[in-house]
Amino acid sequence: MRRASVLPLLSVSVVLAAVIAVALVALTGGAGYVIAGLPDPGSLTRYGVTVVRVLAEGASVLCIGSLLLAAFLVPPQESGTLSPDGYAALRTAGMAAWAWFVTSAASVLFTAADGAGRPVTDLLSPQALVDLVDAIEQPKAWLFTALIALLVALGCRLVLSWGWTATLFFLAVGGLVPVAVTGHSASGGSHDLATNSLLYHLIAAALWVGGLVALLALGWRRGAHLPLAVRRFSRLALCCWVVMAASGLLNALVRISPADLFTTDYGLLVVAKGTALLLLGVFGQQQRNRGVRALDEGRGGGEFVRLAAVEVLIMFVTIGLASALARTPPPAERQTTPSNTELLVGYDLNAPPTLARLLFDWRFDLVFGTVAIVLAVLYLLGVYRLRRRGDAWPVGRTIAWLGACAALLIATSSGIGRYSPAMFSVHMGSHMLLSMVTPVLLVLGGPVTLALRALPAAGKKAPPGPREWLLAFVHSPVSRALTHPVVALVLFVGSFYILYFSGLFDSALNYHWAHLAMNAHFVLTGYLFYWPLIGVDPAPRRLPPLGKLGLMFASMPFHAFFGVILMNMQTVIGEGFYRSLKLPWVGDLLTDQRLGGGIAWASGEVPVLLVLIALLVQWARADEREAKRSDRREDASGDADLAAYNAMLQGLADQGKTRER
């Protein structure tokens, strides 16, 4: 079969998903769901917004799945350029990215018209469209998605290497985020849980659906690496299915109560989508196992392609259900009215933050709390693998890594994380934990060294695997650029001033996704700064001991000045947001801000102490290792160096005696 043969199946699947979505929207009354007080935008807008969403989601999963195949499921050539299978997938991703860009741009138009209650034809004027996009979040999210899709489409025309293909893959996955953090999940009560769970759900769905479509295209092309790609994808698909099931269930329960599952249109759609996912997971895993056995038995990829085609059809039916679900209003929004604090933060805060509440009043962060637990488990599994084969691993590194995971968990999921969005002082405490303590302990844990020792090497002629991917990342130009001392210092320290003193923090306070981005930025920039400074792992750039010490002391005044500036400011950062919360125990916002500045100033000494201790220990161990190497050389040479030195002295003495004669 030729590659073109896969296009009719994909076309039928996308059209089927769009038809199902439109039909369900009409049956459940979602087509008549308009914002209170706004006029009916008309049939074209009501149904068109669902159709373009389905088309955009179909194009996005095809783009992401093709890039996944090109970067990680099929190996590149020895030169680092893509193999023929990878190149074909990259070209498919490029075409899908252009379709993603066009449909996302159309979604900007339709969601703006829908949100304003106006016919889509009224927004053909550029000025009217710009005004609405600036005022409504959903079309703005689609605009960002369209820009990311455009960058991916252009990149697919320009790159041929494995490294840049992997970069495009992660950029494409990031294109799912803007739309995920808007809509039903980003509004109302518990929007923090709903948004976080939806992020997991959409990314897992894109990898699962897109990866299977890419495998289907590879089978139609009779790609040489189909067996390897199928095995790698099967392991990924199982993880994606588990993540989709858990995150989908949690997201639904945030929006509705269990009693509404069978009594409301929204609940019935949730049940239908959950049933489809359950059947698809069981059916898909069994079918892929049969396909793998067929490949192992040398029966070719025909049977796998037939099985995958059926699974793709079911997957796009599920996408249609999901699109109809996005258009149908949750019943909880009709029945309950969240408090002002719950609307702005996601949950209520009923009491002031005492020490006991900061320590024990937990609200689990699905993003960073899950990351902390997963990182701890993976690290312990790596240590266990080393110990099982008889290799030692320093206990101190394990303690440091687990301490970092605990600090990340406490900063985002304990009472500190719970009160952080609502009070500047608590936010600054969380900020210091994420940027000062967590990264220092992470780099002291030596995760790259552990991974390189625990992961098996692919072998000389075998396709590269996770160990080789990790090595490629460490030695990539991007890593070298980001770990340059000046770049790392500017990113780590300079971002404090830009975030808090430019008005950016004031705007970010209103959005849950911005809190996620800030937390990620604090941890990542801190890791990039401390990695070449005190990291156990081999860094892309090696600094001499005096260079490390100089870089550390160069950062200290910036931390101190930052805290001092906060303590002496006469204006309140984020005043509009904090006043709108109306927390009775925060009477003076300026006093709370000065307390946050004091926390920033005082906590800046903690990482300095940790870094100095780490540097002293590392230097002492380096001297000890050098002394041991010197002793081994002397033992091996039988004190040859000392004998040569004595012979030299004796020769000089003999020459002196000769001249005296």
Side-chain angles (χ1 to χ4, degrees):
M1 297 182 183
R2 297 175 181 172
R3 184 177 68 174
S5 301
V6 76
L7 296 179
L9 174 65
L10 296 179
S11 302
V12 170
S13 300
V14 173
V15 171
L16 179 62
V19 170
I20 289 174
V22 170
L24 288 174
V25 165
L27 289 174
T28 60
Y33 174 47
V34 294
I35 302 174
L38 293 178
D40 185 355
S43 299
L44 178 61
T45 301
R46 284 190 275 113
Y47 292 106
V49 69
T50 300
V51 172
V52 295
R53 184 186 182 102
V54 171
L55 296 177
E57 290 180 351
S60 68
V61 298
L62 179 58
C63 175
I64 291 172
S66 298
L67 289 173
L68 172 68
L69 179 76
F72 300 111
L73 299 186
V74 297
Q77 301 182 70
E78 292 184 4
S79 61
T81 58
L82 296 177
S83 64
D85 289 336
Y87 179 78
L90 180 67
R91 289 294 166 258
T92 302
M95 292 186 290
W98 283 114
W100 188 11
F101 166 68
V102 172
T103 51
S104 296
S107 293
V108 174
L109 184 64
F110 276 91
T111 52
D114 185 57
R118 297 170 60 181
V120 70
T121 53
D122 289 355
L123 302 187
L124 297 180
S125 168
Q127 186 59 47
L129 181 60
V130 169
D131 292 341
L132 285 178
V133 170
D134 185 60
I136 307 175
E137 292 302 319
Q138 191 79 12
K140 193 182 300 183
W142 278 110
L143 179 60
F144 282 117
T145 298
L147 294 176
I148 293 174
L150 178 60
L151 290 176
V152 174
L154 294 174
C156 289
R157 297 296 301 175
L158 299 175
V159 307
L160 285 175
S161 65
W162 174 85
W164 283 111
T165 303
T167 302
L168 287 177
F169 165 73
F170 289 111
L171 178 62
V173 171
L176 299 173
V177 175
V179 177
V181 296
T182 56
H184 290 326
S185 295
S187 60
S190 299
H191 62 254
D192 57 328
L193 295 176
T195 301
N196 292 349
S197 60
L198 187 60
L199 281 172
Y200 282 114
H201 193 76
L202 290 181
I203 292 174
L207 295 177
W208 187 19
V209 179
L212 184 63
V213 173
L215 279 183
L216 182 60
L218 180 65
W220 247 299
R221 291 192 301 264
R222 299 180 181 178
H225 300 103
L226 180 62
L228 173 66
V230 171
R231 290 187 184 89
R232 287 182 172 180
F233 177 74
S234 294
R235 291 190 287 267
L236 175 65
L238 179 59
C239 295
C240 289
W241 180 79
V242 172
V243 171
M244 285 181 66
S247 59
L249 177 62
L250 180 59
N251 188 274
L253 292 179
V254 167
R255 297 288 118 221
I256 63 173
S257 64
D260 294 326
L261 286 174
F262 298 96
T263 58
T264 64
D265 293 335
Y266 190 89
L268 290 175
L269 284 177
V270 169
V271 172
K273 182 184 174 185
T275 304
L277 283 177
L278 179 62
L279 294 177
L280 188 58
V282 176
F283 171 78
Q285 191 65 27
Q286 291 179 348
Q287 299 296 73
R288 274 190 298 276
N289 290 338
R290 288 174 56 189
V292 171
R293 285 197 300 270
L295 292 172
D296 291 338
E297 294 170 2
R299 287 182 278 155
E303 183 172 351
F304 171 78
V305 168
R306 288 191 294 272
L307 298 174
V310 176
E311 192 173 353
V312 166
L313 285 171
I314 301 175
M315 282 181 168
F316 275 91
V317 170
T318 308
I319 290 178
L321 289 169
S323 298
L325 194 63
R327 181 63 180 161
T328 306
E333 292 185 354
R334 300 170 180 166
Q335 299 171 0
T336 61
T337 302
S339 65
N340 185 58
T341 304
E342 194 174 1
L343 282 173
L344 294 173
V345 179
Y347 44 85
D348 280 322
L349 296 170
N350 299 317
T354 62
L355 179 61
R357 291 192 181 96
L358 290 176
L359 293 177
F360 303 111
D361 190 7
W362 283 53
R363 184 180 179 86
F364 187 73
D365 188 301
L366 285 179
V367 174
F368 294 102
T370 303
V371 167
I373 294 174
V374 170
L375 289 178
V377 171
L378 291 177
Y379 193 94
L380 292 176
L381 288 176
V383 174
Y384 173 74
R385 176 173 288 186
L386 291 185
R387 296 288 177 86
R388 190 176 59 181
R389 71 186 187 202
D391 294 341
W393 183 255
V395 176
R397 295 182 185 178
T398 304
I399 294 175
W401 182 265
L402 295 180
C405 295
L408 178 60
L409 184 65
I410 291 171
T412 56
S413 298
S414 70
I416 297 175
R418 185 182 180 93
Y419 281 87
S420 174
M423 296 180 63
F424 186 85
S425 58
V426 183
H427 162 80
M428 194 53 62
S430 175
H431 177 172
M432 293 300 110
L433 276 174
L434 292 173
S435 63
M436 300 290 191
V437 179
T438 302
V440 172
L441 296 177
L442 284 176
V443 298
L444 290 176
V448 176
T449 302
L450 175 63
L452 293 178
R453 291 181 59 183
L455 292 172
K460 191 172 183 180
K461 294 185 178 181
R467 189 177 187 276
E468 288 70 30
W469 299 335
L470 181 59
L471 276 174
F473 168 75
V474 171
H475 298 293
S476 67
V478 175
S479 297
R480 287 186 57 82
L482 291 177
T483 54
H484 188 282
V486 176
V487 175
L489 181 63
V490 170
L491 288 175
F492 182 51
V493 179
S495 59
F496 288 15
Y497 293 85
I498 294 174
L499 175 63
Y500 292 102
F501 302 144
S502 67
L504 187 60
F505 183 74
D506 301 62
S507 302
L509 283 171
N510 294 285
Y511 307 105
H512 174 69
W513 63 265
H515 289 277
L516 296 178
M518 281 192 292
N519 291 343
H521 174 81
F522 296 150
V523 176
L524 292 177
T525 55
Y527 190 93
L528 289 173
F529 178 76
Y530 290 112
W531 180 11
L533 193 64
I534 57 169
V536 176
D537 297 324
R541 294 181 181 272
R542 291 185 176 276
L543 298 178
L546 290 179
K548 294 180 178 181
L549 198 60
L551 183 61
M552 186 65 229
F553 283 118
S555 68
M556 290 175 59
F558 294 101
H559 288 298
F561 291 153
F562 173 72
V564 170
I565 292 173
L566 285 177
M567 287 188 289
N568 288 279
M569 285 185 66
Q570 300 302 316
T571 57
V572 178
I573 300 174
E575 182 177 9
F577 176 82
Y578 289 124
R579 289 202 185 281
S580 64
L581 290 175
K582 299 177 181 178
L583 298 177
W585 57 84
V586 187
D588 190 347
L589 293 177
L590 193 58
T591 300
D592 185 66
Q593 180 174 294
R594 288 172 178 168
L595 175 59
I599 293 173
W601 176 78
S603 59
E605 306 299 325
V606 175
V608 174
L609 180 61
L610 292 176
V611 168
L612 289 178
I613 292 174
L615 287 176
L616 290 174
V617 171
Q618 289 175 6
W619 291 343
R621 289 178 177 175
D623 292 340
E624 183 180 351
R625 286 193 297 268
E626 182 59 31
K628 289 181 179 179
R629 280 195 294 267
S630 178
D631 292 340
R632 284 196 297 268
R633 285 195 300 267
E634 291 180 359
D635 293 339
S637 61
D639 293 336
D641 292 340
L642 180 60
Y645 181 71
N646 291 333
M648 181 191 69
L649 293 178
Q650 184 62 42
L652 292 174
D654 292 341
Q655 291 176 7
K657 291 179 180 179
T658 302
R659 282 194 293 268
E660 288 176 0
R661 293 175 185 167

